[in-house]
Amino acid sequence: MSVERSIMAFAGFMVLLSLVLTATVSPHFVWLTVFVGANLLQSAFTGFCPAAMIMKKLGVKTAAEIALNK
């Protein structure tokens, strides 16, 4: 799985997790959803994504790197 797809999966998981936590633990967990959405929005404009940097350090390849290896 590429970094780009991993980011989408991670963001989706975090949104669903925050919704479950908001419904079951505390309504303040809705701020996690806000944070994830704001991070996705800013990364679309700036290209800076901390999760992508961490995944790259963990060895997850970008789509371009995967295509070069085929």
Side-chain angles (χ1 to χ4, degrees):
M1 186 180 290
S2 68
V3 169
E4 296 84 1
R5 288 182 154 239
S6 298
I7 292 299
M8 288 189 286
F10 181 68
F13 172 76
M14 291 304 291
V15 168
L16 292 174
L17 176 66
S18 69
L19 290 174
V20 169
L21 291 172
T22 298
T24 59
V25 178
S26 169
H28 295 292
F29 275 104
V30 75
W31 289 106
L32 180 57
T33 307
V34 172
F35 173 75
V36 171
N39 191 22
L40 284 169
L41 186 63
Q42 73 81 26
S43 69
F45 289 102
T46 65
F48 175 73
C49 180
M53 293 170 34
I54 292 169
M55 288 182 187
K56 285 179 188 174
K57 286 185 180 182
L58 291 174
V60 181
K61 296 184 185 300
T62 64
E65 291 172 337
I66 292 171
L68 283 176
N69 290 333
K70 286 188 177 181

